[in-house]
Amino acid sequence: MIKTSYILLRSVALLAFIASTLFFTSLEAIKDSDGETKNILFLAGDTKHRHGFHEYKAGSILLANAINESGLPVKAKVHWYGWPKNEKMFDDVDACIIYADSGGDFGEKYSFLDQKIKNGMGIMFMHYGVHPTKEVAEKYYKNWIGGYFDDEFSVNPSWVAKMKPKKGHPVSNGVKSVTAYDEFYWNLNFPSPDECTHCYPLATAIPTEQNMVRYGSGKFWNKSAADKLGTPQALLWCSDPPNRSRGAGFVGGHYHRNWAIDDYRKLILNTIAWVAQVEVPLDGVPSSKITKAMLNQNLNRPDSLEEIELPTPDLLVQPAGKKPLLEANGRVAEKPKRKPKNK
C-alpha cells in the first residue's frame, strides 16, 4: 500500500512538472513571438554641403541611438559614405532609411534594393534622398514611396513650416504639430488618388509668401510652384500597400540642428518605426533631449572650429524673402555668366 502510494505521488509530481514546463515554455514562446525584434539600417551619404548642412552621418547616428534606447523591440545600425561593400549588412533588415544626396546615387544597386523591398523590406528616403534622377524616380520611387522631387516643377525653398501630422495615424502619436525652419521641398511629383490608392500625406504644411524666407535655387523656382502658394503641401508622405512593405519620404533634414526639436524628431522616429512595421507607442517613440554636445558629434568635418548651435526661437520669425520674378516661360531668368578675369 505504501509502495503504491509512493509510486502514485511520484507520477503526480512528474505530471505536474511536465505541465508546468509546458506552461512556461508556452509563455516564453508567446513572449518571443510578441517581442520579435525588427532591424533598421541607415545608409548615410557624404556631401559637399558646408558644415552643419546635410550632416547625414551625424543625423543618422542620432536617430539610430534614439531608436536603440527607446525600449522598443528594434535595433538600428548606421553605414555611412557609399554603398556597403558587404551586402550581408542587409540580411534580416526590416527597413532601410536612406539619408543622402541625390537619392544615394546608387546606380545599379537600386535593383538590389528593389528585390529587398519585394521581399518585404520597408524603405524611407530623407531630404536630398527624395531627389534621384528622373529615370530612377520613375522606375523605382513611384512604386516604393509614391512621390519624389521632380526637376521640372519641384522647388527647394527654406521656410517656416507648421506641419500637421495625419490625425489618427501612428506617425502622429504624441505629436500635435511641428513648427520648424528648414529647407522643405514642395510641389513634388505625386500620383493621383486614382493612380495610387495607398499613397497619402503623413504631414502637411502651407507655404505662403509670409513664411517663405529663401526661395531656394533659381533653377527650380517656377510658376507651377508659385501658383501653389497658400495650399497644403505634403512634406512627409507614404506608400502603404496592403500586405506589402511600406515606404515613406521626408523632405526635411537639411539643417542638422533641427534634430534637437523634440516633436520634429519624434515625428520622424515614429515614421521610421512605422515603416519597419513596429507598433508605435501611443505617446510616440521616446527619446532623450538632444544637447549641443550631441549635435556636434560625428560631423562630416570634425575639425571645423564652427560649432552647431541648438535651434532658437528667432529662426521662426525671420522676415519674408523677396519672391523671384518669373519670365514668360514660367521660370526664373538665368543669371548672365561671369566674364573670365583677364590675367
Side-chain angles (χ1 to χ4, degrees):
M1 181 69 179
I2 294 174
K3 186 175 181 180
T4 302
S5 300
Y6 173 72
I7 293 172
L8 183 60
L9 286 171
R10 285 193 61 184
S11 299
V12 171
L14 180 61
L15 287 171
F17 172 76
I18 293 172
S20 65
T21 301
L22 289 174
F23 175 74
F24 286 112
T25 301
S26 176
L27 283 181
E28 192 63 32
I30 293 171
K31 180 181 177 182
D32 289 343
S33 176
D34 290 345
E36 180 186 359
T37 299
K38 299 288 187 179
N39 296 296
I40 295 173
L41 171 64
F42 286 82
L43 296 184
D46 200 353
T47 186
K48 294 180 180 179
H49 275 63
R50 65 186 178 89
H51 186 65
F53 297 20
H54 291 206
E55 295 285 355
Y56 303 133
K57 172 187 171 185
S60 295
I61 292 174
L62 282 176
L63 294 172
N65 287 344
I67 289 168
N68 290 331
E69 295 167 5
S70 69
L72 297 175
V74 59
K75 292 181 180 177
K77 57 186 176 183
V78 181
H79 171 82
W80 54 85
Y81 303 162
W83 185 260
K85 291 182 179 179
N86 186 352
E87 292 178 348
K88 286 186 177 296
M89 182 172 286
F90 287 92
D91 290 354
D92 300 320
V93 167
D94 297 287
C96 181
I97 315 302
I98 297 173
Y99 192 19
D101 286 353
S102 304
D105 195 19
F106 293 137
E108 63 182 17
K109 293 302 181 182
Y110 287 108
S111 61
F112 175 92
L113 288 174
D114 191 47
Q115 191 57 54
K116 286 291 182 180
I117 292 166
K118 287 175 178 176
N119 291 338
M121 183 184 79
I123 193 161
M124 180 175 179
F125 292 89
M126 299 200 299
H127 197 51
Y128 204 168
V130 306
H131 188 179
T133 64
K134 182 83 171 185
E135 180 184 3
V136 169
E138 287 292 314
K139 186 174 182 179
Y140 296 114
Y141 275 49
K142 288 181 75 172
N143 292 326
W144 293 349
I145 64 173
Y148 62 91
F149 187 107
D150 192 321
D151 287 356
E152 291 184 31
F153 47 80
S154 301
V155 291
N156 67 334
S158 293
W159 53 294
V160 179
K162 294 182 179 179
M163 288 187 280
K164 293 184 178 180
K166 184 176 177 61
K167 192 174 181 180
H169 195 282
V171 304
S172 71
N173 289 359
V175 182
K176 292 182 179 179
S177 66
V178 182
T179 301
Y181 170 69
D182 206 337
E183 186 185 62
F184 289 117
Y185 309 152
W186 52 279
N187 200 32
L188 304 189
N189 188 324
F190 289 120
S192 69
D194 291 335
E195 292 173 318
C196 184
T197 57
H198 53 263
C199 297
Y200 52 87
L202 292 172
T204 61
I206 300 177
T208 67
E209 290 189 33
Q210 290 70 42
N211 62 22
M212 203 62 46
V213 178
R214 295 175 59 251
Y215 281 82
S217 173
K219 72 177 182 179
F220 292 132
W221 186 253
N222 61 83
K223 186 177 185 303
S224 172
D227 289 344
K228 289 185 175 65
L229 285 167
T231 66
Q233 298 291 312
L235 306 187
L236 175 67
W237 70 93
C238 74
S239 171
D240 184 18
N243 305 315
R244 284 167 50 198
S245 56
R246 292 168 175 164
F250 175 55
V251 297
H254 179 72
Y255 299 106
H256 182 57
R257 60 178 174 240
N258 283 338
W259 296 121
I261 301 173
D262 292 341
D263 281 346
Y264 181 105
R265 186 174 66 258
K266 178 170 285 191
L267 177 64
I268 302 310
L269 289 172
N270 287 353
T271 305
I272 292 170
W274 179 78
V275 168
Q277 309 275 354
V278 175
E279 185 174 348
V280 181
L282 291 178
D283 292 332
V285 176
S287 63
S288 301
K289 286 273 187 186
I290 300 296
T291 65
K292 180 179 174 180
M294 292 166 69
L295 273 184
N296 284 277
Q297 293 175 358
N298 305 304
L299 300 174
N300 292 322
R301 299 170 182 82
D303 296 331
S304 174
L305 297 178
E306 180 186 359
E307 288 190 315
I308 298 175
E309 300 293 335
L310 292 167
T312 53
D314 60 291
L315 292 170
L316 307 181
V317 291
Q318 300 180 71
K322 184 179 179 181
K323 188 178 178 182
L325 294 176
L326 298 173
E327 296 197 314
N329 64 359
R331 313 293 301 200
V332 176
E334 290 187 17
K335 293 181 179 180
K337 294 182 179 180
R338 293 180 180 179
K339 295 181 179 180
K341 294 181 179 180
N342 295 325
K343 293 183 179 180

